[in-house]
Amino acid sequence: MKILIGCDHAAFGLKETIKRYLIEKGVAVEDLGAFSEASVDYPQIGMQVASRVSKGQAERGILLCGTGLGMSMVANRFAHVRAALCNDLFSAGMSRRHNDANILVMGGRVIGDVLALEIVRTWLETPFEGGRHQRRLDLFDTPGQEP
Ligand code: RB5
C-alpha cells in the first residue's frame, strides 16, 4: 500500500514524525509537502493528495493541518475520497470499520505526536467491515438519493 502524506505549516513537525514512523514500518510513503514551517495555503497541499487518491493513483492518504478541519473539507470535495478527521482512537477505528476512510486527517494543534502515531497505527490495521456499510457508501454516488 502506498500512502501519500501532506500537511501545512501548522503540522509540519507532526508530518515528519508520521513519515519516519511509516518508513520504519516499511510502508511506502510519498511526501507532497509542506517541506518546512513556512506558511502555506493548506488547500494546495490537500488538493494534491486528494486528487491522486480520487483517481486511484494511491490507495490511501494522510493530511494534517492545525485543526484537521480545513484539510478534511478540501479532501471531501473529491469523488471517491472519504476523508475522516480523527483526533481520537475510537474515530480512527470506526472510520475504517464503517466508513472505509481512504484519507486520515488529524490536527497538529489538537493532538500530540504519541496519540497521532497510535491513530495512524489503528487506522492502518483496522479493516473495513463491508456488508451494510458498503451499501451505505454506495449511496454516496447514487443520483436521486438526496433527502
Ligand atoms: C493555519 O493557520 C490553519 O488555519 C490551518 O492549519 C488549519 O487549521 C485550517 O483548517
Side-chain angles (χ1 to χ4, degrees):
M1 180 199 303
K2 179 176 173 179
I3 298 189
L4 304 179
I5 193 164
C7 70
D8 73 355
H9 52 284
F12 171 72
L14 179 58
K15 189 257 292 174
E16 292 297 301
T17 300
I18 293 172
K19 198 169 72 175
R20 270 195 304 275
Y21 170 80
L22 292 173
I23 290 166
E24 272 165 27
K25 277 182 70 118
V27 177
V29 52
E30 185 178 340
D31 185 355
L32 299 185
F35 298 107
S36 77
E37 286 179 354
S39 184
V40 288
D41 296 330
Y42 66 82
Q44 291 186 335
I45 308 281
M47 286 191 288
Q48 285 187 54
V49 170
S51 77
R52 287 180 56 182
V53 170
S54 175
K55 289 179 202 149
Q57 293 171 355
E59 201 178 339
R60 303 266 192 106
I62 296 178
L63 283 171
L64 312 159
C65 62
T67 58
L69 291 165
M71 284 294 199
S72 55
M73 290 175 189
V74 165
N76 278 315
R77 296 170 67 95
F78 287 76
H80 315 302
V81 164
R82 292 176 302 281
L85 172 55
C86 300
N87 286 319
D88 65 273
L89 284 170
F90 179 71
S91 300
M94 293 304 284
S95 80
R96 291 290 313 133
R97 277 201 285 278
H98 285 196
N99 310 112
D100 198 17
N102 51 14
I103 295 187
L104 170 65
V105 189
M106 292 180 287
R109 290 174 175 162
V110 179
I111 54 174
D113 285 10
V114 174
L115 175 56
L117 292 182
E118 273 300 291
I119 288 172
V120 170
R121 189 181 61 76
T122 300
W123 190 72
L124 289 177
E125 291 177 359
T126 305
F128 177 48
E129 286 176 6
R132 68 185 188 282
H133 304 297
Q134 183 60 59
R135 186 182 73 236
R136 290 163 184 165
L137 296 187
D138 291 342
L139 289 171
F140 285 26
D141 299 315
T142 308
Q145 292 296 323
E146 301 84 3

